[in-house]
């Protein structure tokens, strides 16, 4: 069974204080590793898909990287508007996404 | 430039009642998914449609849950004899390729 574990559960950062979120996964036949952002009361918002180990993708202050067992979401010089829950999901060949519980990031001004 | 829409945004019902939750996917997206999200957890897969047919319903928790997509666009998730444990946010997503795009969800509360 596919499993995704995210750490830490919560992260409190000062504005400008860079950090990384971890996503560990086990999946039979990785179709893609997905990152989403979720704001309170909203649905998940798509950020990145990573397909193979060594791949990296960037968007503004966010960079996602992938190894064979983990993915990291690096937040560089975060701003208060980066406060959200970040969800990681593995996609296997059966088209389902298996989500982790998320990391809730709070950035203080 | 419509994204995925879901109605109602909130639904409060009593234990034992029947509810229907609606999802309008992004136009042209052939795949549609339903997920359920409990507080503090990530979304949990329920069912996946490719076109009109349910390609995978392995995530439906029991036979009180049923979903349809009769014309390959709008989908309805139906829950019979609701229980307090069904309270959660029900999310719908659609996709054309691999990325799934989510709607805002329906918050279901069973009293």
């Amino acid at each position: 069974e596919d499993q995704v574990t995210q750490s830490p559960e919560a992260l409190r950062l000062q504005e400008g204080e860079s950090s990384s979120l971890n996503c560990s996964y086990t999946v039979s036949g990785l179709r893609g590793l997905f990152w989403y952002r979720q704001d309170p009361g909203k649905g998940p918002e798509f950020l990145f898909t990573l397909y193979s180990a060594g791949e990296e993708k960037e968007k503004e202050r966010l960079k996602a990287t992938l190894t064979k067992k983990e993915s990291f979401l690096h937040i560089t010089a975060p701003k208060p508007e980066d406060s959200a829950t970040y969800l990681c999901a593995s996609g296997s060949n059966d088209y389902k996404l298996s989500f982790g519980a998320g990391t809730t990031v709070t950035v203080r001004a | 430039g419509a994204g995925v829409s879901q109605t109602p945004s909130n639904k409060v019902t009593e234990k034992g009642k029947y509810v229907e939750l609606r999802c309008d996917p992004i136009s042209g997206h052939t795949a549609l998914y339903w997920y359920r999200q409990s507080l503090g957890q990530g979304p949990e897969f329920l069912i996946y449609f490719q076109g009109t047919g349910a390609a995978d319903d392995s995530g439906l928790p029991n036979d009180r849950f049923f979903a349809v997509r009769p014309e390959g666009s709008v989908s309805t998730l139906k829950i019979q004899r609701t229980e307090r444990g069904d309270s959660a946010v029900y999310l719908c997503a659609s996709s054309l390729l691999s990325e799934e795009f989510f709607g805002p969800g329906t918050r279901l509360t069973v009293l």
Side-chain angles (χ1 to χ4, degrees):
Chain A
E1 184 177 321
D2 299 351
Q3 283 202 321
V4 178
T5 304
Q6 293 188 246
S7 61
E9 290 184 10
L11 191 60
R12 293 178 65 86
L13 301 172
Q14 197 68 33
E15 183 172 5
E17 178 188 1
S18 301
S19 189
S20 294
L21 284 56
N22 177 267
C23 170
S24 298
Y25 65 93
T26 56
V27 61
S28 53
L30 181 71
R31 168 171 60 90
L33 190 292
F34 300 80
W35 282 97
Y36 286 83
R37 168 191 171 128
Q38 187 171 29
D39 292 301
K42 303 271 183 76
E45 174 189 344
F46 172 76
L47 292 174
F48 304 109
T49 310
L50 301 166
Y51 294 102
S52 58
E55 188 174 2
E56 298 184 352
K57 288 194 176 171
E58 287 189 65
K59 179 180 180 179
E60 297 181 355
R61 294 175 294 282
L62 301 177
K63 183 170 81 171
T65 62
L66 182 66
T67 72
K68 288 187 178 179
K69 294 183 179 179
E70 294 176 304
S71 179
F72 294 92
L73 185 66
H74 308 278
I75 310 178
T76 302
K79 298 182 177 182
E81 53 262 43
D82 295 322
S83 297
T85 296
Y86 291 87
L87 295 165
C88 165
S90 66
S92 58
N93 292 332
D94 58 5
Y95 298 99
K96 289 186 271 194
L97 290 184
S98 297
F99 281 87
T103 295
T104 299
V105 175
T106 304
V107 183
R108 296 164 290 174
Chain B
V4 178
S5 62
Q6 293 186 246
T7 54
S9 55
N10 279 284
K11 177 70 177 178
V12 180
T13 191
E14 293 180 345
K15 181 175 178 295
K17 299 288 189 182
Y18 168 83
V19 296
E20 290 189 353
L21 311 179
R22 177 187 166 107
C23 172
D24 279 86
I26 294 171
S27 177
H29 281 193
T30 55
L32 185 146
Y33 308 80
W34 284 98
Y35 291 82
R36 178 168 70 175
Q37 187 173 26
S38 300
L39 194 63
Q41 299 299 313
E44 177 188 20
F45 170 81
L46 295 176
I47 187 169
Y48 155 58
F49 287 90
Q50 183 61 251
T52 59
D56 185 345
D57 64 357
S58 62
L60 295 177
N62 52 59
D63 60 7
R64 294 187 297 106
F65 288 74
F66 189 71
V68 295
R69 193 185 186 200
E71 297 178 355
S73 179
V74 171
S75 176
T76 305
L77 179 65
K78 308 181 182 195
I79 310 174
Q80 298 178 322
R81 304 184 302 281
T82 51
E83 299 178 356
R84 293 195 180 87
D86 298 335
S87 296
V89 174
Y90 289 82
L91 293 164
C92 175
S94 70
S95 72
L96 184 60
L97 299 173
S98 64
E99 288 80 15
E100 295 180 26
F101 296 91
F102 284 81
T106 294
R107 180 175 298 279
L108 176 66
T109 303
V110 182
L111 301 177

